Amino acid sequence: MTPDRCFSLLLALRSDTTVAALAAATGVSERTVMRDLRWLQDAGFPVLARRGHYGGVSMLPGGALDTSRLTPPEREHLALTGLDDEQRRRLGVEAVSDRARRKVAGAGSGDGLIAVGDLVVSDNRPWFGPEPAGVSPAALIGDLRRGVRLKVHYERTGSMRWRTVDPYGLLAKGGRWYLVADEAGAPRLLNLLKIDRWEPLRTPRRLRPGVRLAEVAAELTSGWETGGDLEVRLRIQGHQVERAQRLLGSRLTLGEPEPDGTAPGVLRCRVLEDVRQLLPFADSATVTGPPEARERVKALAQQILDHYR
Amino acid sequence: MTPDRCFSLLLALRSDTTVAALAAATGVSERTVMRDLRWLQDAGFPVLARRGHYGGVSMLPGGALDTSRLTPPEREHLALTGLDDEQRRRLGVEAVSDRARRKVAGAGSGDGLIAVGDLVVSDNRPWFGPEPAGVSPAALIGDLRRGVRLKVHYERTGSMRWRTVDPYGLLAKGGRWYLVADEAGAPRLLNLLKIDRWEPLRTPRRLRPGVRLAEVAAELTSGWETGGDLEVRLRIQGHQVERAQRLLGSRLTLGEPEPDGTAPGVLRCRVLEDVRQLLPFADSATVTGPPEARERVKALAQQILDHYR
DNA sequence: AGAGAACCTGACAGGTTCCGTCAGGTTTCG
DNA sequence: CGAAACCTGACGGAACCTGTCAGGTTCTCT
């Protein structure tokens, strides 16, 4: 397997796909794709496969390379560089191929472009990347596979505590990941975003006999609505809208700006304490509801003031 | 080149290194490393090379795969999976190799481990990754190489504006990246973190005759001290230390915890307004100096209080 | 200017590994 | 039951990768 096909596969595996589709996309046989997938598995990538109708392959998010950091052109190059002309013709991507060829040539040889080395002066280059909140599914999967009990540091109503659980596995629902486990014999869903660390224990997990993951998950979510999330209504001043969108991301939904320049919005919070994220905006962000959210912001501000007196 | 060696190289290129070091680390010849690096360049990765004394190779941050997202075990696997026993012996990593071997076997074959597919129930899997603030050097480099004028959306003292510049190139200094450019014939440093978008123009860049990047950069930083960064001293309560480290990242340097459980630290800010980041911690974080930072935090809290009255 | 330390390239021979094809298999759902 | 999916082993051929060797350019320091 070549690196470019490796990257192509990693990209494609971000969503559900099939071996046949991967083979068509990469221009190799299905047997080769199988081998590549096996290689990825052996290398520790959490590749998920499902046989039969509606089967296919995908990969757990979080543990994979964050290919979203690739610029679009880099993605294109990586996906196409390794294909020869005949393969490209078969794939019907000849037009794109010509463009990629020109671009690759541009990046590599002196064809009127300035060399990278002539555009950079440097002395040191630290590397940093923000750590994601919570635990990723792929990080947990290793210990889950061993079938042992887990001790998880879990947040509930603002306080973090250690809990010992017998895990069935993971559930992905509504865009979130949960650990499905028994705690003292009672089934529980633990939101992975609320786990900040965990430890595997030496003892095997103790599951109720004859009970499987899918059943427990169904049981726990059967009376489940999409409610439970706290929606904080707010207004943001126009000049802070972009910053807010950048910092709060998909949790923030903004409406059309009003004549006075402010934009109404909704911030989805897990708990009331999440309103703390709005404090850096000071008086540029106004919580309009619910009342307890307004009160909490005020209380926090009062806390700060008292603290510095 | 194999994917695992590709990943190894990408990891190693995050900091300055040499071809010889890469060859030793990966167990291949220097010629092979050269070829690999050429492959990476052709694939669009911004590989930087420098000949002669203090030369070496590295890669611009931001455009590469964000390998920091790999879990440590995954990094280890990827780096070692492709080596045979003799290469490992040469590298003196035999003990580690045995552990990786066991782990790889555990991940791939049914040796008492539960299969991944038996541990996951899922219905949809959104992919999300936080967007980095500012612009990455690698994203800019493509347009810089074309030697054209750029229109950049740049933040200065809180407001974003479009500015048209003639770029010389990039400067990395003090852990930050700057665009070195003339604006209306006057040289400027534009912090990449303050650029949120840019557009290349069609017109070629207009540089002062005989003036090169290194000279402009030196000229602009000659009277430059490491000052200009504001170091806010603070104390953080023990139970918020991990969260603070997670949220504030490398900007926060913490010392040894004191007997009362709090940890002293320094938060590096570009401007005083950056203390806003501390507001979500309310009274769990205490600014101890400089005085203007304390005053600013108090003023912001007062602002919030007044706003909700 | 010279020496040494760095990256850089082309060419060649050998061998390793990858690939596609073929044959078989298991699993899942309607 | 049939179709759609993933799954594995084996084989022969060829593609490509690799290390070695020979040469080169660039950069810094003395």
Side-chain angles (χ1 to χ4, degrees), chain B residues 46-96:
Chain B
V47 176
L48 264 193
R50 186 185 173 97
R51 298 178 180 200
H53 258 275
Y54 308 119
V57 287
S58 65
M59 189 160 58
L60 289 180
L65 297 176
D66 188 355
T67 50
S68 66
R69 275 291 188 83
L70 280 179
T71 62
E74 274 173 348
R75 274 182 230 168
E76 191 176 301
H77 301 165
L78 289 174
L80 297 175
T81 299
L83 303 178
D84 65 28
D85 286 348
E86 180 54 27
Q87 286 174 325
R88 288 196 187 95
R89 210 162 295 150
R90 264 198 286 157
L91 294 173
V93 293
E94 202 158 47
V96 179

Side-chain angles (χ1 to χ4, degrees), chain B residues 2-271:
Chain B
T2 59
D4 53 284
R5 196 164 76 235
C6 180
F7 290 130
S8 296
L9 290 175
L10 289 174
L11 278 175
L13 285 165
R14 287 162 56 180
S15 51
D16 283 342
T17 184
T18 61
V19 170
L22 290 175
T26 53
V28 294
S29 69
E30 293 184 21
R31 186 66 185 89
T32 297
V33 169
M34 286 286 191
R35 273 194 279 248
D36 291 349
L37 293 179
R38 185 54 186 268
W39 188 96
L40 288 172
Q41 270 185 331
D42 289 347
F45 286 89
V47 176
L48 264 193
R50 186 185 173 97
R51 298 178 180 200
H53 258 275
Y54 308 119
V57 287
S58 65
M59 189 160 58
L60 289 180
L65 297 176
D66 188 355
T67 50
S68 66
R69 275 291 188 83
L70 280 179
T71 62
E74 274 173 348
R75 274 182 230 168
E76 191 176 301
H77 301 165
L78 289 174
L80 297 175
T81 299
L83 303 178
D84 65 28
D85 286 348
E86 180 54 27
Q87 286 174 325
R88 288 196 187 95
R89 210 162 295 150
R90 264 198 286 157
L91 294 173
V93 293
E94 202 158 47
V96 179
S97 158
D98 287 337
R99 204 174 85 220
R101 186 80 64 90
R102 274 200 304 274
K103 204 151 185 182
V104 168
S109 48
D111 63 341
L113 292 178
I114 305 168
V116 172
D118 290 338
L119 288 168
V120 179
V121 174
S122 60
D123 49 19
N124 68 59
R125 277 167 293 269
W127 180 265
F128 62 91
E131 293 296 317
V135 162
S136 70
L140 261 182
I141 202 72
D143 289 322
L144 290 178
R145 296 190 70 191
R146 282 187 267 274
V148 294
R149 306 189 86 191
L150 301 181
K151 191 165 69 157
V152 296
H153 204 224
Y154 189 66
E155 172 193 342
R156 170 170 289 180
T157 60
S159 67
M160 306 290 298
R161 278 186 26 221
W162 286 100
R163 332 166 68 106
T164 301
V165 298
D166 299 287
Y168 288 91
L170 299 171
L171 162 71
K173 187 170 177 69
R176 289 195 181 79
W177 285 86
Y178 301 87
L179 177 63
V180 183
D182 283 349
E183 188 187 9
R188 295 254 189 276
L189 286 185
L190 306 184
N191 185 342
L192 291 206
L193 290 179
K194 296 185 180 178
I195 300 175
D196 67 351
R197 55 188 190 270
W198 85 96
E199 290 168 17
L201 299 181
R202 288 164 177 268
T203 50
R205 60 183 181 168
R206 292 184 299 222
L207 306 182
R208 285 163 287 152
V211 180
R212 291 172 46 239
L213 169 63
E215 293 153 8
V216 181
E219 173 192 346
L220 286 171
T221 58
S222 62
W224 218 19
E225 306 306 324
T226 49
D229 280 340
L230 173 60
E231 300 200 326
V232 174
R233 301 188 298 280
L234 62 141
R235 225 168 28 237
I236 303 222
Q237 285 181 17
H239 71 280
Q240 293 285 355
V241 161
E242 283 191 16
R243 182 178 296 240
Q245 282 177 323
R246 201 165 66 228
L247 293 177
L248 302 176
S250 59
R251 286 163 293 171
L252 178 65
T253 306
L254 288 177
E256 292 297 310
E258 312 200 333
D260 66 348
T262 63
V266 173
L267 177 69
R268 303 212 297 162
C269 304
R270 297 195 310 264
V271 293

Side-chain angles (χ1 to χ4, degrees), chain A residues 238 241 254-264:
Chain A
V241 161
L254 288 176
E256 291 299 309
E258 312 198 335
D260 67 346
T262 61

Side-chain angles (χ1 to χ4, degrees), chain A residues 183-194:
Chain A
E183 187 186 10
R188 294 254 187 274
L189 286 184
L190 306 184
N191 186 342
L192 291 205
L193 290 179
K194 295 185 182 180

